[in-house]
Amino acid sequence: MTTREDNKKARVLRRSITHSKGGACVQCGWDKEISVLHFHHLDAEKKVSPIPRLCKDVVIGFCPIQVLLVEADKCDLLCPTCDAYLDWQERNEQK
């Protein structure tokens, strides 16, 4: 079970990873609030786990930070709008 302190540490870790990836949407450049940017996996089939989940797992000691860093390297940062549009495009390409 995670505590409030663990959740806070996970948010700080996620923000740090977001900053390290440029802190802005790679599609449109939006950078008003980095906490709402999404980590979009470039290849969904190679996705191990969502980045926010891995941040919590690192904080509580369930996985090493290297797993998080490798997973983050598989992602682009996108704003919610660009992420939704890209997801829609990917779904419609598969039809």
Side-chain angles (χ1 to χ4, degrees):
M1 176 190 270
T2 58
T3 66
R4 281 187 182 188
E5 189 61 30
D6 291 338
N7 288 336
K8 183 177 178 183
K9 288 177 184 177
R11 283 192 305 274
V12 169
L13 179 57
R14 184 185 182 284
R15 287 180 74 86
S16 176
I17 299 292
T18 303
H19 275 296
S20 74
K21 294 203 54 84
C25 177
V26 298
Q27 294 287 333
C28 70
W30 189 85
D31 64 353
K32 302 298 183 234
E33 178 50 58
I34 66 167
S35 66
V36 300
L37 291 172
H38 297 186
F39 286 86
H40 181 85
H41 282 79
L42 300 172
D43 184 349
E45 292 181 12
K46 294 184 179 178
K47 180 179 180 176
V48 172
S49 185
I51 298 300
R53 175 76 242 170
L54 285 175
C55 288
K56 286 184 181 182
D57 288 349
V58 167
V59 167
I60 61 178
F62 281 176
C63 78
I65 195 162
Q66 283 72 20
V67 172
L68 169 61
L69 298 175
V70 167
E71 197 67 15
D73 283 343
K74 299 178 194 176
C75 301
D76 275 343
L77 278 180
L78 296 175
C79 70
T81 301
C82 290
D83 189 34
Y85 183 68
L86 190 56
D87 287 343
W88 176 84
Q89 283 182 315
E90 289 171 352
R91 277 191 310 276
N92 287 308
E93 281 178 7
Q94 295 173 356
K95 290 183 179 179

